[in-house]
Amino acid sequence: MKKSTMALAAVALGALIAPTFAQAAEKTIAFMRGGPDPYYQYGMNAAQAAADKLGVKLVTYTANNDPTQELANVQDAITKGVDGILIYAVSLSSEKAAIAQAQRAGVPIFFQYGYDPSLLKNAAGFMEINLFKFGEPVGEALGKQVPDGEVAIVTGKLGRGDAEAFANSFKDGLKAVGSKASVVAEVAADWDRQKALDATAQILTAHPDVKAIYAANDDMAVGVSIAIDRAGKTGKILLGACNGAPYGIDLIKQGKMTITNSNPPSIASVQSLQLLLAVIDKKIEPGQFYAAPTQLITSANMDTAIPWDAKPDQVAAWLAQPLPQPSPGPTN
């Protein structure tokens, strides 16, 4: 097929599967945040901007990390007659209950994160990153610069599986590039900036020869960088993280962090809203997994990082793109 023909075919396919403004108009979608984390807020802001462009009414909720409140929110949205629910669920158990409520009411429910293969068939869809690979490119980048010696990990709250996956994938990245660096400390800071600062101070006292530190998200990386500064080792200890948050990009600009693997909530929420609307309009099949967009960011490309705080023009550009294609869900 000639390139020009292929381009026309791609445009035609996009026009076929992407929800049009007319199709989306007059629908009401409930957007539910799991808690007050800025990640959820940025995702909700982008979804609101997309809804405004599409003529969709967005009703927003937050569960404040309370599963009981989350179920109350789902029930309230159903009572108000929403056409669909887009949700960052609080927990796996609350996801199951939310799906049960939505199914009884015949309301499609699409999840951002919290993927579980057993729930996929009963959901409008799931979108999330591959948790088991997310830290790997950060490990590779730091491992190339630290072929041996000591490294440390400041990870998130253990027990849900994502913190463990982030840490293990970072170690996989080190091995993938042949680094023989040893992990001399692995401390859970519960995704909390202050706890990460305190943990790093203790690590640097116990292991003054550490050459690199991996923080599992950018918020903790801010705490880690402060501890490195206070130890007088800025520029002497490499720092890598995940998320691509605005404060992570600032660390790279300041020369305090080497790399972050971004999973911007903005574009993911816009795409998730589009997919949910397409399910409602029966343009695509429900029960499919979609990989959330990711982007490696260093000093070389930080000016083109996908923004968390997306402007209306950026959201409009995302809406003009063809819908994401489904993919197999991640496996450990």
Side-chain angles (χ1 to χ4, degrees):
M1 186 181 293
K2 293 181 179 179
K3 285 186 177 179
S4 58
T5 307
M6 292 177 66
L8 287 173
V11 171
L13 180 61
L16 177 67
I17 62 175
T20 67
F21 284 30
Q23 290 169 327
E26 300 182 357
K27 289 188 173 61
T28 300
I29 301 297
F31 187 99
M32 299 190 177
R33 297 166 54 189
D37 190 293
Y39 190 89
Y40 302 140
Q41 181 66 51
Y42 281 107
M44 188 182 76
N45 292 348
Q48 183 64 68
D52 292 344
K53 290 280 186 185
L54 294 169
V56 170
K57 180 180 180 182
L58 203 69
V59 182
T60 61
Y61 296 85
T62 182
N64 291 317
N65 294 321
D66 181 354
T68 302
Q69 182 61 54
E70 182 171 275
L71 290 179
N73 293 343
V74 171
Q75 186 57 55
D76 184 75
I78 291 171
T79 301
K80 288 180 176 175
V82 299
D83 297 289
I85 298 172
L86 181 57
I87 181 170
Y88 290 109
V90 172
S91 67
L92 180 59
S93 61
S94 70
E95 284 180 40
K96 294 177 180 176
I99 286 176
Q101 282 191 333
Q103 275 194 309
R104 284 195 293 271
V107 176
I109 182 167
F110 192 101
F111 290 87
Q112 291 189 255
Y113 290 87
Y115 170 66
D116 185 299
S118 68
L119 302 180
L120 187 58
K121 65 180 183 299
N122 296 321
F126 278 81
M127 175 176 278
E128 74 175 32
I129 57 170
N130 186 341
L131 302 174
F132 308 109
K133 295 287 186 181
F134 199 45
E136 193 168 313
V138 181
E140 292 176 355
L142 297 189
K144 289 177 181 175
Q145 298 186 60
V146 184
D148 52 34
E150 299 180 350
V151 300
I153 298 173
V154 178
T155 193
K157 189 174 183 63
L158 301 176
R160 199 172 59 182
D162 47 356
E164 293 89 339
F166 282 19
N168 290 334
S169 58
F170 170 76
K171 296 173 192 172
D172 290 341
L174 289 176
K175 294 176 184 174
V177 295
S179 174
K180 300 186 183 308
S182 59
V183 178
V184 295
E186 184 171 340
V187 181
D190 300 348
W191 311 112
D192 182 271
R193 184 179 300 192
Q194 182 61 48
K195 289 183 179 179
L197 193 162
D198 297 339
T200 304
Q202 294 172 12
I203 290 171
L204 296 180
T205 298
H207 304 281
D209 296 326
V210 160
K211 295 181 177 178
I213 298 177
Y214 166 61
N217 74 2
D218 285 346
D219 198 47
M220 292 192 297
V222 173
V224 172
S225 73
I226 293 172
I228 292 174
D229 270 342
R230 290 179 179 175
K233 295 189 175 182
T234 297
K236 300 176 182 176
I237 296 177
L238 298 179
L239 173 60
C242 290
N243 273 170
Y247 31 89
I249 305 300
D250 285 344
L251 288 178
I252 293 175
K253 289 179 179 176
Q254 296 165 19
K256 296 181 178 180
M257 189 158 75
T258 300
I259 186 171
T260 182
N261 195 6
S262 178
N263 57 330
S266 48
I267 187 173
S269 285
V270 171
Q271 292 182 345
S272 294
L273 176 61
Q274 287 182 288
L275 290 165
L276 174 58
L277 291 170
V279 169
I280 294 170
D281 287 332
K282 302 187 186 307
K283 299 295 183 183
I284 61 173
E285 292 294 323
Q288 301 190 87
F289 177 87
Y290 300 88
T294 61
Q295 180 186 27
L296 284 175
I297 302 171
T298 67
S299 59
N301 68 341
M302 59 184 173
D303 292 335
T304 59
I306 297 173
W308 280 32
D309 185 13
K311 305 303 180 195
D313 287 351
Q314 178 67 77
V315 171
W318 292 337
L319 288 173
Q321 296 175 356
L323 288 176
Q325 295 298 303
S327 64
T331 55
N332 190 356

